[in-house]
Amino acid sequence: MGNSVLQKSPEEVKKMKEFYSKYLIDKLPPGSVFAAKTPSCAITAYKSGKVLFQGKDGEAEAARWGTALAPSVKKTAAPVPGSHLPKNISDMSIIGSDEVGTGDFFGPITVVAAYVRRQDIPVLKELGVQDSKNLKDDKIIEIARQLVTFLPHSLLTLHNEKYNQMQMKGMSQGKMKALLHNQAINHVLDKIAPEKPEAILIDEFAKEQIYYAHLKGQRKIIRENVLFSTKAEGIHLGVAAASMIARYAFVRHFENLSKRAGFTIPKGAGAAVDKAAARLILDKGIDVLPEFVKLHFANTEKAKKIARI
């Protein structure tokens, strides 16, 4: 799998469009002037003049037209003074790992680890990968659908029923997340072997010593070149990409839950979810709650009061 980005003039882009005329596709990504799909490569040209080549022969196809852009030396976000992170971490080939859904009453926890090589960084920038907190769900979905086609990644989902069983047995949410992150990273390392990342960056939800305490007794614990940082989405696009894919999966799960409920389920843990859970109880009975929510949240009792149970 190879991905490349070229910077081309309007005249060159026009020539490329003519060259790939028999492979042109009708559905264009936002901001693009043409898109084509050959048997082994997808080509997308943007108004900015950047042309993305993605797929098995992406690098070879791009070489037909010139030299690919090198990853920018500009940091996605500069590590804070005294940080333990390498100064050039935003330009390294890393596995980024992040999770979504831990603070939502409804819906599962989704954890994703994704491998971004340094040569993929210009592609991700052109696609608009960034801190997902700055984007709406529809934009995240649009970008994530493209990311999953070429980034080596692992997506793990902890559904509500299993979550509640584990929580009732005394397992903390922090331990659940540590287990999922470690497993997802293991999966990606297996996928890219024998290649190894320069680092592994986890969006920090627990201090390093606590994270590894949660993993005690696990058969395979990843420790080599593992780094932790808060706000890691802004430090490396690998974490941002992982977060986007996780959010994409999370939104899809929410859509499925809404279909099963028969009405749109809100995200978060505010008053709106209390009312939604109360409606669910009244419509389908309290026994369905474990399939939809994280029972130990205070929202459960609030919903019961609204439903007068």
Side-chain angles (χ1 to χ4, degrees), residues 58-96:
E59 291 178 354
E61 192 66 31
R64 179 197 296 272
W65 301 96
T67 304
L69 294 175
S72 170
V73 297
K74 183 180 178 181
K75 304 290 184 294
T76 305
V80 296
S83 170
H84 62 292
L85 301 176
K87 289 183 179 180
N88 65 331
I89 188 168
S90 63
D91 301 315
M92 294 167 63
S93 297
I94 76 153
I95 293 175

mmCIF file of all heavy atoms in Angstrom, residues 58-96:
data_model
loop_
_atom_site.group_PDB
_atom_site.id
_atom_site.type_symbol
_atom_site.label_atom_id
_atom_site.label_comp_id
_atom_site.label_asym_id
_atom_site.label_seq_id
_atom_site.Cartn_x
_atom_site.Cartn_y
_atom_site.Cartn_z
ATOM 1 N N GLY A 58 -0.198 3.383 -5.492
ATOM 2 C CA GLY A 58 -0.280 4.832 -5.353
ATOM 3 C C GLY A 58 1.043 5.544 -5.594
ATOM 4 O O GLY A 58 1.113 6.522 -6.337
ATOM 5 N N GLU A 59 2.104 5.048 -4.973
ATOM 6 C CA GLU A 59 3.402 5.701 -5.097
ATOM 7 C C GLU A 59 3.936 5.595 -6.525
ATOM 8 O O GLU A 59 4.475 6.554 -7.077
ATOM 9 C CB GLU A 59 4.393 5.098 -4.101
ATOM 10 C CG GLU A 59 4.072 5.438 -2.641
ATOM 11 C CD GLU A 59 5.041 4.789 -1.676
ATOM 12 O OE1 GLU A 59 5.888 3.993 -2.129
ATOM 13 O OE2 GLU A 59 4.941 5.061 -0.474
ATOM 14 N N ALA A 60 3.759 4.417 -7.128
ATOM 15 C CA ALA A 60 4.243 4.216 -8.489
ATOM 16 C C ALA A 60 3.472 5.090 -9.479
ATOM 17 O O ALA A 60 4.058 5.671 -10.402
ATOM 18 C CB ALA A 60 4.113 2.740 -8.873
ATOM 19 N N GLU A 61 2.166 5.200 -9.286
ATOM 20 C CA GLU A 61 1.349 6.010 -10.183
ATOM 21 C C GLU A 61 1.689 7.490 -10.042
ATOM 22 O O GLU A 61 1.756 8.232 -11.031
ATOM 23 C CB GLU A 61 -0.137 5.775 -9.885
ATOM 24 C CG GLU A 61 -1.092 6.322 -10.920
ATOM 25 C CD GLU A 61 -0.975 5.621 -12.272
ATOM 26 O OE1 GLU A 61 -0.648 4.421 -12.302
ATOM 27 O OE2 GLU A 61 -1.204 6.296 -13.298
ATOM 28 N N ALA A 62 1.928 7.926 -8.800
ATOM 29 C CA ALA A 62 2.300 9.323 -8.569
ATOM 30 C C ALA A 62 3.637 9.653 -9.224
ATOM 31 O O ALA A 62 3.839 10.753 -9.754
ATOM 32 C CB ALA A 62 2.357 9.606 -7.076
ATOM 33 N N ALA A 63 4.564 8.677 -9.197
ATOM 34 C CA ALA A 63 5.900 8.892 -9.771
ATOM 35 C C ALA A 63 5.830 9.186 -11.267
ATOM 36 O O ALA A 63 6.737 9.805 -11.827
ATOM 37 C CB ALA A 63 6.775 7.673 -9.509
ATOM 38 N N ARG A 64 4.737 8.755 -11.905
ATOM 39 C CA ARG A 64 4.541 9.035 -13.324
ATOM 40 C C ARG A 64 4.463 10.541 -13.588
ATOM 41 O O ARG A 64 4.797 11.035 -14.659
ATOM 42 C CB ARG A 64 3.236 8.367 -13.773
ATOM 43 C CG ARG A 64 2.867 8.573 -15.221
ATOM 44 C CD ARG A 64 1.381 8.240 -15.423
ATOM 45 N NE ARG A 64 1.076 6.856 -15.163
ATOM 46 C CZ ARG A 64 1.143 5.872 -16.067
ATOM 47 N NH1 ARG A 64 1.527 6.151 -17.302
ATOM 48 N NH2 ARG A 64 0.824 4.635 -15.738
ATOM 49 N N TRP A 65 4.023 11.284 -12.542
ATOM 50 C CA TRP A 65 3.753 12.714 -12.703
ATOM 51 C C TRP A 65 4.739 13.631 -11.992
ATOM 52 O O TRP A 65 4.656 14.841 -12.094
ATOM 53 C CB TRP A 65 2.338 13.024 -12.199
ATOM 54 C CG TRP A 65 1.291 12.250 -12.936
ATOM 55 C CD1 TRP A 65 0.716 11.070 -12.555
ATOM 56 C CD2 TRP A 65 0.713 12.587 -14.205
ATOM 57 N NE1 TRP A 65 -0.192 10.644 -13.485
ATOM 58 C CE2 TRP A 65 -0.217 11.563 -14.517
ATOM 59 C CE3 TRP A 65 0.883 13.633 -15.092
ATOM 60 C CZ2 TRP A 65 -0.963 11.573 -15.684
ATOM 61 C CZ3 TRP A 65 0.131 13.643 -16.255
ATOM 62 C CH2 TRP A 65 -0.775 12.629 -16.557
ATOM 63 N N GLY A 66 5.646 13.051 -11.222
ATOM 64 C CA GLY A 66 6.627 13.899 -10.555
ATOM 65 C C GLY A 66 6.975 13.401 -9.169
ATOM 66 O O GLY A 66 6.660 12.272 -8.785
ATOM 67 N N THR A 67 7.614 14.261 -8.391
ATOM 68 C CA THR A 67 8.082 13.912 -7.053
ATOM 69 C C THR A 67 7.025 14.257 -6.014
ATOM 70 O O THR A 67 6.467 15.363 -6.029
ATOM 71 C CB THR A 67 9.386 14.670 -6.714
ATOM 72 O OG1 THR A 67 10.348 14.384 -7.727
ATOM 73 C CG2 THR A 67 9.920 14.250 -5.352
ATOM 74 N N ALA A 68 6.772 13.317 -5.132
ATOM 75 C CA ALA A 68 5.769 13.522 -4.094
ATOM 76 C C ALA A 68 6.237 14.565 -3.091
ATOM 77 O O ALA A 68 7.439 14.766 -2.875
ATOM 78 C CB ALA A 68 5.482 12.204 -3.371
ATOM 79 N N LEU A 69 5.263 15.235 -2.470
ATOM 80 C CA LEU A 69 5.571 16.198 -1.414
ATOM 81 C C LEU A 69 6.122 15.466 -0.209
ATOM 82 O O LEU A 69 5.632 14.397 0.163
ATOM 83 C CB LEU A 69 4.308 16.961 -1.004
ATOM 84 C CG LEU A 69 3.680 17.887 -2.042
ATOM 85 C CD1 LEU A 69 2.378 18.460 -1.501
ATOM 86 C CD2 LEU A 69 4.635 19.021 -2.389
ATOM 87 N N ALA A 70 7.126 16.025 0.412
ATOM 88 C CA ALA A 70 7.661 15.455 1.646
ATOM 89 C C ALA A 70 6.797 15.911 2.812
ATOM 90 O O ALA A 70 6.167 16.961 2.746
ATOM 91 C CB ALA A 70 9.102 15.916 1.860
ATOM 92 N N PRO A 71 6.739 15.110 3.885
ATOM 93 C CA PRO A 71 5.998 15.557 5.059
ATOM 94 C C PRO A 71 6.496 16.903 5.536
ATOM 95 O O PRO A 71 7.694 17.158 5.583
ATOM 96 C CB PRO A 71 6.295 14.457 6.100
ATOM 97 C CG PRO A 71 6.639 13.255 5.281
ATOM 98 C CD PRO A 71 7.341 13.783 4.066
ATOM 99 N N SER A 72 5.588 17.774 5.868
ATOM 100 C CA SER A 72 5.951 19.108 6.346
ATOM 101 C C SER A 72 6.714 19.024 7.655
ATOM 102 O O SER A 72 6.436 18.186 8.499
ATOM 103 C CB SER A 72 4.682 19.941 6.551
ATOM 104 O OG SER A 72 4.973 21.139 7.208
ATOM 105 N N VAL A 73 7.675 19.910 7.809
ATOM 106 C CA VAL A 73 8.423 19.932 9.063
ATOM 107 C C VAL A 73 7.674 20.719 10.126
ATOM 108 O O VAL A 73 8.048 20.731 11.282
ATOM 109 C CB VAL A 73 9.831 20.542 8.870
ATOM 110 C CG1 VAL A 73 10.646 19.683 7.934
ATOM 111 C CG2 VAL A 73 9.748 21.972 8.331
ATOM 112 N N LYS A 74 6.597 21.361 9.714
ATOM 113 C CA LYS A 74 5.809 22.123 10.671
ATOM 114 C C LYS A 74 5.081 21.175 11.605
ATOM 115 O O LYS A 74 4.449 20.219 11.191
ATOM 116 C CB LYS A 74 4.780 22.986 9.931
ATOM 117 C CG LYS A 74 3.955 23.868 10.846
ATOM 118 C CD LYS A 74 2.967 24.694 10.033
ATOM 119 C CE LYS A 74 2.096 25.552 10.937
ATOM 120 N NZ LYS A 74 1.128 26.332 10.154
ATOM 121 N N LYS A 75 5.158 21.425 12.870
ATOM 122 C CA LYS A 75 4.522 20.559 13.845
ATOM 123 C C LYS A 75 3.012 20.728 13.813
ATOM 124 O O LYS A 75 2.499 21.816 13.633
ATOM 125 C CB LYS A 75 5.018 20.888 15.267
ATOM 126 C CG LYS A 75 6.515 20.826 15.427
ATOM 127 C CD LYS A 75 7.028 19.405 15.337
ATOM 128 C CE LYS A 75 8.505 19.310 15.599
ATOM 129 N NZ LYS A 75 9.333 19.950 14.610
ATOM 130 N N THR A 76 2.291 19.620 14.014
ATOM 131 C CA THR A 76 0.846 19.703 14.171
ATOM 132 C C THR A 76 0.539 20.503 15.431
ATOM 133 O O THR A 76 -0.364 21.303 15.479
ATOM 134 C CB THR A 76 0.245 18.287 14.294
ATOM 135 O OG1 THR A 76 0.666 17.532 13.172
ATOM 136 C CG2 THR A 76 -1.266 18.346 14.318
ATOM 137 N N ALA A 77 1.304 20.257 16.465
ATOM 138 C CA ALA A 77 1.233 21.036 17.690
ATOM 139 C C ALA A 77 2.553 20.828 18.415
ATOM 140 O O ALA A 77 3.022 19.704 18.531
ATOM 141 C CB ALA A 77 0.076 20.581 18.580
ATOM 142 N N ALA A 78 3.175 21.893 18.847
ATOM 143 C CA ALA A 78 4.475 21.777 19.489
ATOM 144 C C ALA A 78 4.323 21.211 20.889
ATOM 145 O O ALA A 78 3.465 21.655 21.655
ATOM 146 C CB ALA A 78 5.140 23.157 19.573
ATOM 147 N N PRO A 79 5.111 20.179 21.245
ATOM 148 C CA PRO A 79 5.078 19.669 22.609
ATOM 149 C C PRO A 79 5.408 20.782 23.601
ATOM 150 O O PRO A 79 6.203 21.667 23.310
ATOM 151 C CB PRO A 79 6.165 18.584 22.601
ATOM 152 C CG PRO A 79 6.290 18.178 21.164
ATOM 153 C CD PRO A 79 6.046 19.440 20.384
ATOM 154 N N VAL A 80 4.795 20.740 24.754
ATOM 155 C CA VAL A 80 5.019 21.779 25.760
ATOM 156 C C VAL A 80 6.447 21.706 26.265
ATOM 157 O O VAL A 80 7.087 20.651 26.225
ATOM 158 C CB VAL A 80 4.044 21.611 26.945
ATOM 159 C CG1 VAL A 80 2.619 21.813 26.494
ATOM 160 C CG2 VAL A 80 4.201 20.248 27.588
ATOM 161 N N PRO A 81 6.991 22.840 26.726
ATOM 162 C CA PRO A 81 8.353 22.827 27.259
ATOM 163 C C PRO A 81 8.506 21.783 28.359
ATOM 164 O O PRO A 81 7.638 21.649 29.226
ATOM 165 C CB PRO A 81 8.505 24.253 27.817
ATOM 166 C CG PRO A 81 7.559 25.070 26.991
ATOM 167 C CD PRO A 81 6.388 24.176 26.726
ATOM 168 N N GLY A 82 9.585 21.031 28.295
ATOM 169 C CA GLY A 82 9.828 20.000 29.303
ATOM 170 C C GLY A 82 9.092 18.704 29.006
ATOM 171 O O GLY A 82 9.127 17.773 29.796
ATOM 172 N N SER A 83 8.426 18.626 27.859
ATOM 173 C CA SER A 83 7.661 17.435 27.506
ATOM 174 C C SER A 83 8.596 16.247 27.301
ATOM 175 O O SER A 83 9.731 16.394 26.868
ATOM 176 C CB SER A 83 6.856 17.687 26.232
ATOM 177 O OG SER A 83 6.295 16.481 25.762
ATOM 178 N N HIS A 84 8.080 15.054 27.595
ATOM 179 C CA HIS A 84 8.842 13.825 27.382
ATOM 180 C C HIS A 84 8.763 13.370 25.934
ATOM 181 O O HIS A 84 9.441 12.421 25.543
ATOM 182 C CB HIS A 84 8.272 12.721 28.264
ATOM 183 C CG HIS A 84 6.838 12.386 27.950
ATOM 184 N ND1 HIS A 84 5.809 13.267 28.192
ATOM 185 C CD2 HIS A 84 6.280 11.300 27.368
ATOM 186 C CE1 HIS A 84 4.669 12.728 27.793
ATOM 187 N NE2 HIS A 84 4.927 11.544 27.291
ATOM 188 N N LEU A 85 7.946 14.034 25.127
ATOM 189 C CA LEU A 85 7.761 13.625 23.734
ATOM 190 C C LEU A 85 8.925 14.099 22.868
ATOM 191 O O LEU A 85 9.473 15.173 23.082
ATOM 192 C CB LEU A 85 6.454 14.198 23.186
ATOM 193 C CG LEU A 85 5.173 13.804 23.924
ATOM 194 C CD1 LEU A 85 3.979 14.542 23.316
ATOM 195 C CD2 LEU A 85 4.955 12.294 23.854
ATOM 196 N N PRO A 86 9.303 13.321 21.849
ATOM 197 C CA PRO A 86 10.354 13.764 20.918
ATOM 198 C C PRO A 86 9.938 15.061 20.226
ATOM 199 O O PRO A 86 8.758 15.264 19.925
ATOM 200 C CB PRO A 86 10.429 12.610 19.908
ATOM 201 C CG PRO A 86 9.849 11.430 20.618
ATOM 202 C CD PRO A 86 8.805 11.972 21.540
ATOM 203 N N LYS A 87 10.895 15.916 19.967
ATOM 204 C CA LYS A 87 10.587 17.213 19.354
ATOM 205 C C LYS A 87 9.966 17.058 17.966
ATOM 206 O O LYS A 87 9.170 17.884 17.539
ATOM 207 C CB LYS A 87 11.856 18.068 19.270
ATOM 208 C CG LYS A 87 12.337 18.568 20.624
ATOM 209 C CD LYS A 87 13.557 19.461 20.466
ATOM 210 C CE LYS A 87 14.038 19.982 21.829
ATOM 211 N NZ LYS A 87 15.227 20.850 21.702
ATOM 212 N N ASN A 88 10.333 15.996 17.262
ATOM 213 C CA ASN A 88 9.839 15.806 15.897
ATOM 214 C C ASN A 88 8.703 14.789 15.823
ATOM 215 O O ASN A 88 8.441 14.214 14.770
ATOM 216 C CB ASN A 88 10.978 15.341 14.984
ATOM 217 C CG ASN A 88 11.508 13.963 15.375
ATOM 218 O OD1 ASN A 88 11.446 13.588 16.547
ATOM 219 N ND2 ASN A 88 12.013 13.216 14.404
ATOM 220 N N ILE A 89 8.009 14.583 16.927
ATOM 221 C CA ILE A 89 7.023 13.504 16.967
ATOM 222 C C ILE A 89 5.926 13.664 15.924
ATOM 223 O O ILE A 89 5.430 12.689 15.374
ATOM 224 C CB ILE A 89 6.394 13.375 18.378
ATOM 225 C CG1 ILE A 89 5.510 12.107 18.424
ATOM 226 C CG2 ILE A 89 5.609 14.618 18.767
ATOM 227 C CD1 ILE A 89 5.065 11.718 19.800
ATOM 228 N N SER A 90 5.561 14.896 15.590
ATOM 229 C CA SER A 90 4.466 15.094 14.637
ATOM 230 C C SER A 90 4.840 14.653 13.227
ATOM 231 O O SER A 90 3.968 14.507 12.367
ATOM 232 C CB SER A 90 4.023 16.560 14.621
ATOM 233 O OG SER A 90 5.058 17.395 14.178
ATOM 234 N N ASP A 91 6.138 14.438 12.973
ATOM 235 C CA ASP A 91 6.598 14.011 11.652
ATOM 236 C C ASP A 91 7.035 12.545 11.625
ATOM 237 O O ASP A 91 7.535 12.069 10.612
ATOM 238 C CB ASP A 91 7.771 14.884 11.199
ATOM 239 C CG ASP A 91 7.399 16.349 11.142
ATOM 240 O OD1 ASP A 91 6.321 16.660 10.611
ATOM 241 O OD2 ASP A 91 8.173 17.182 11.656
ATOM 242 N N MET A 92 6.844 11.834 12.723
ATOM 243 C CA MET A 92 7.288 10.448 12.805
ATOM 244 C C MET A 92 6.217 9.488 12.300
ATOM 245 O O MET A 92 5.053 9.839 12.170
ATOM 246 C CB MET A 92 7.651 10.107 14.256
ATOM 247 C CG MET A 92 8.854 10.873 14.797
ATOM 248 S SD MET A 92 9.051 10.743 16.600
ATOM 249 C CE MET A 92 9.336 8.994 16.799
ATOM 250 N N SER A 93 6.662 8.258 12.004
ATOM 251 C CA SER A 93 5.729 7.180 11.681
ATOM 252 C C SER A 93 5.283 6.540 12.987
ATOM 253 O O SER A 93 6.098 5.934 13.691
ATOM 254 C CB SER A 93 6.411 6.120 10.794
ATOM 255 O OG SER A 93 6.804 6.667 9.557
ATOM 256 N N ILE A 94 4.008 6.709 13.315
ATOM 257 C CA ILE A 94 3.566 6.223 14.624
ATOM 258 C C ILE A 94 2.227 5.491 14.529
ATOM 259 O O ILE A 94 1.455 5.651 13.577
ATOM 260 C CB ILE A 94 3.425 7.357 15.657
ATOM 261 C CG1 ILE A 94 2.157 8.171 15.407
ATOM 262 C CG2 ILE A 94 4.639 8.237 15.736
ATOM 263 C CD1 ILE A 94 1.622 8.817 16.656
ATOM 264 N N ILE A 95 1.964 4.697 15.572
ATOM 265 C CA ILE A 95 0.621 4.170 15.821
ATOM 266 C C ILE A 95 -0.022 5.101 16.835
ATOM 267 O O ILE A 95 0.522 5.305 17.927
ATOM 268 C CB ILE A 95 0.661 2.735 16.375
ATOM 269 C CG1 ILE A 95 1.183 1.760 15.314
ATOM 270 C CG2 ILE A 95 -0.736 2.300 16.836
ATOM 271 C CD1 ILE A 95 1.364 0.345 15.822
ATOM 272 N N GLY A 96 -1.148 5.690 16.465
ATOM 273 C CA GLY A 96 -1.905 6.529 17.386
ATOM 274 C C GLY A 96 -3.105 5.766 17.898
ATOM 275 O O GLY A 96 -3.694 4.957 17.165
#
